[in-house]
Amino acid sequence: MNTSDMINTMPELIELSNQLKMLKQQTLPRVNQTRKQDLKMKLLAEYETQPATKPQVSTRPVFSWFTPARLAYGFAGACLIALIAGTAWLTLQNRGSDDLIESPATRLPAAIASVESVAGSVTKENLGADSWEEVTADTTFTEGDKIKTGADSEITIILPGDSEIRLAANTEIELRSLNEPTADQGATIKIEQDNGVAYHRVVASDDLKANYQVKTNLITIQAMGTAFNTSVDSQSQTTTVLALQHNLKITKNGDSLDVEEGSQLKVDEETKKLAAEQLEKQDLNNDWLQKNRAADEAKGYELGQLEDITPPVITVNEPANASTVNTDKVTVKGTTETDARLWINDEEITLSENGSFSKEVSLNEGENSINLKAKDPAGNVATQTLTITYTKPAPEPTPTPSPEPQPSISLTLTGSGTTDGKANLSWSLSGSDAPKGFKLAMGKEVNPSYPGNSAKYLDSGARSFTWTGLEAGVYHFRVCIYNGEGCSHYSNDASIQVLGSAPKEEPKEEPKEESVSSITLKTIGAGKISWTVDGYSKNGFKVVWSKTASPTYPCRETDRYYYTSDPNATSYTITEAFDGPGTYYVRTCEYLGGACGVYSNQIEITL
């Protein structure tokens, strides 16, 4: 290159240099990063493609450093060195920390990603654009594109090297770097996930592993294996990572952790040190992972932790859920998988060979929960809850005791009249012993009764009586069993003809004293008592006894009595221990007809 050629080229070099300086001073979108690279390449090309014209060599014997030609060469060389140094400095200054733009010597071939399937509303924002466009099955993606799924939307994207990323609803990512694999290097994929849930299926050959990296606002995830899931919640500022097949390397603020398959990591802004925990199978049994498992299985991928995420089925044959029973125990019967373990209310139950089970469970009154849990060898857990209500049955009504069959009572009265004003009466009794005696009623009408008609009291041993003092005529008689107040059973009516009147008797002198002043009672022994009377009791006496002190007549529920109509009676033998063996209190009283007048002293006897 001669001096004139270099001078002619200088304006273009200076213009390119000025453009690079202007780009350096600007805060530029991603599209200008590419432009800077193009300008650098153009600058080098301009220099390298200049014609290699050999300069004219002076034959002058005198050498001088300061000839015009040497000055021009020196100036052009200095400019060239300054431009090359400036280009290198700008390149270093504009490379991101994620090293997304490589130098021309190391940069891998740029790649595109394509849509395998899309459902619902999915949009993308091209690099440097200010608007979003709808994604279709024919859409392709390049470095710098942002992708966002709407509600109830999903997309599967095929990345360089046949790796896949599947986005759930309400997820947003940016494709930071997409490079196809080369002969000596696997595909390079760098993704920034801002929100939502993404499933990553990394495909690599046996010799070349893909450089697959996911970055969130909190951590950087480097895939060491083939399958993992990321969840980012931009509101709570949390990230959850599931290592589903092989390991992951996770970095946060210089802290690095290798996360083994079957582990999960949860990180938030407060996390100081990274720590993983064991994955529980129930954490994997959701619609999203079930769907990705089916997709991986259809493509022949190894499933890792998703190999078996289906919980065992618990089938309860009895009792029916939400049923009401009236017993305080139920037997829970059903079946589950033969290789599973089963618990009912936290008690492990032994299964039969065909997986059936039976367990009696006690119930409390009201609503009861019966909790069943089954766990298969893969660690999948199924639970089921029965709600059983126990209602105590209404008490059975107390049966009314049937009255004891009473013996058939037969009371038959017969009699005849005389010519001297008498009626001779006799009766027979069966089915009763008439413990309180009889009443013999007499009247002019059929079926006389007591009270109501004239009557005579006769003790329980009497079976005959002669009614005297009758005038000639027809009389009707009936005898009844006396119960202390009235009659309980009557005989037939006996009609008797009295042919003559009774002779008139001289009136007998009535006892002068017809009242009782006092009665003195004493025991003789073996239930026999005797009494003396100061006065006269024309209606006879009542003997009353009870286990409760001060028995009376009319009787209390705890009292019993004996009546004698003989005013001259002075003794009686008590044999009825009606309230069981023991000590009884006894009194005798003057009977006034329906009640007692004067009572004796109280004595005690043993029956």
Side-chain angles (χ1 to χ4, degrees), residues 42-54:
K42 185 176 181 182
L43 181 63
L44 292 173
E46 285 288 340
Y47 172 74
E48 293 172 351
T49 57
Q50 296 300 319
T53 305
K54 187 173 182 179

Side-chain angles (χ1 to χ4, degrees), residues 322-330 361-369 387-394:
S323 59
T324 299
V325 298
N326 57 10
T327 59
D328 61 358
K329 292 180 181 178
V330 293
V361 177
S362 298
L363 303 176
N364 296 319
E365 187 174 5
E367 188 174 284
N368 296 263
S369 292
T387 301
I388 308 297
T389 301
Y390 165 44
T391 301
K392 285 185 177 180

Side-chain angles (χ1 to χ4, degrees), residues 115-123 134-138 153-156:
V115 176
E116 180 182 77
S117 64
V118 61
S121 175
V122 181
T123 56
E134 197 73 20
V135 172
T136 67
D138 298 326
S153 302
E154 295 177 4
I155 188 172
T156 298

Side-chain angles (χ1 to χ4, degrees), residues 305-385:
Q305 294 297 305
L306 300 183
E307 181 69 35
D308 182 2
I309 58 174
T310 302
V313 176
I314 303 174
T315 301
V316 177
N317 298 325
E318 60 178 78
N321 189 29
S323 59
T324 299
V325 298
N326 57 10
T327 59
D328 61 358
K329 292 180 181 178
V330 293
T331 300
V332 181
K333 296 182 180 180
T335 58
T336 187
E337 295 179 5
T338 56
D339 58 352
R341 298 172 64 189
L342 180 80
W343 291 263
I344 297 179
N345 287 346
D346 297 326
E347 179 183 350
E348 186 165 5
I349 307 301
T350 301
L351 299 176
S352 65
E353 291 184 357
N354 63 356
S356 62
F357 57 86
S358 178
K359 170 66 177 175
E360 186 177 74
V361 177
S362 298
L363 303 176
N364 296 319
E365 187 174 5
E367 188 174 284
N368 296 263
S369 292
I370 301 176
N371 300 307
L372 296 90
K373 181 177 79 171
K375 185 176 183 179
D376 66 16
N380 297 297
V381 175
T383 59
Q384 188 171 341
T385 298

Side-chain angles (χ1 to χ4, degrees), residues 98-344:
D98 54 1
D99 207 21
L100 294 181
I101 298 178
E102 293 82 2
S103 67
T106 61
R107 180 179 176 87
L108 295 173
I112 62 172
S114 60
V115 176
E116 180 182 77
S117 64
V118 61
S121 175
V122 181
T123 56
K124 82 162 185 172
E125 182 185 54
N126 292 327
L127 178 66
D130 294 330
S131 61
W132 293 78
E133 63 182 53
E134 197 73 20
V135 172
T136 67
D138 298 326
T139 300
T140 58
F141 307 98
T142 60
E143 289 182 355
D145 286 352
K146 293 183 178 180
I147 305 164
K148 181 164 56 178
T149 59
D152 300 321
S153 302
E154 295 177 4
I155 188 172
T156 298
I157 301 173
I158 304 300
L159 301 168
D162 293 329
S163 293
E164 298 179 30
I165 181 170
R166 303 169 191 157
L167 307 182
N170 301 312
T171 300
E172 185 172 353
I173 66 169
E174 180 180 351
L175 303 175
R176 299 297 301 276
S177 181
L178 297 177
N179 294 123
E180 292 286 356
T182 64
D184 57 357
Q185 185 174 346
T188 298
I189 300 166
K190 296 182 181 181
I191 297 169
E192 186 169 310
Q193 185 172 342
D194 296 326
N195 190 56
V197 179
Y199 182 86
H200 308 266
R201 169 54 70 174
V202 183
V203 176
S205 66
D206 294 336
D207 298 327
L208 300 177
K209 290 186 177 180
N211 179 17
Y212 194 105
Q213 186 182 100
V214 178
K215 185 177 181 181
T216 74
N217 64 318
L218 297 172
I219 59 176
T220 298
I221 306 155
Q222 182 70 47
M224 311 297 289
T226 53
F228 62 99
N229 194 81
T230 53
S231 301
V232 178
D233 190 332
S234 59
Q235 291 186 347
S236 62
Q237 294 295 300
T238 59
T239 297
T240 302
V241 184
L242 309 181
L244 301 176
Q245 188 180 8
H246 299 134
N247 299 347
L248 301 171
K249 186 170 185 177
I250 298 179
T251 305
K252 180 180 188 294
N253 297 332
D255 183 18
S256 181
L257 178 69
D258 288 335
V259 179
E260 296 182 351
E261 177 184 327
S263 302
Q264 67 174 337
L265 181 73
K266 296 181 180 180
V267 182
D268 59 25
E269 291 182 320
E270 303 300 322
T271 301
K272 301 299 183 184
K273 186 174 180 60
L274 298 176
E277 59 184 21
Q278 184 69 30
L279 262 176
E280 297 295 337
K281 281 291 186 177
Q282 54 264 33
D283 296 333
L284 304 179
N285 186 25
N286 56 63
D287 292 343
W288 172 247
L289 291 179
Q290 287 280 13
K291 185 180 298 184
N292 282 283
R293 180 193 182 282
D296 285 355
E297 186 175 35
K299 294 181 179 182
Y301 293 141
E302 293 183 6
L303 300 178
Q305 294 297 305
L306 300 183
E307 181 69 35
D308 182 2
I309 58 174
T310 302
V313 176
I314 303 174
T315 301
V316 177
N317 298 325
E318 60 178 78
N321 189 29
S323 59
T324 299
V325 298
N326 57 10
T327 59
D328 61 358
K329 292 180 181 178
V330 293
T331 300
V332 181
K333 296 182 180 180
T335 58
T336 187
E337 295 179 5
T338 56
D339 58 352
R341 298 172 64 189
L342 180 80
W343 291 263
I344 297 179

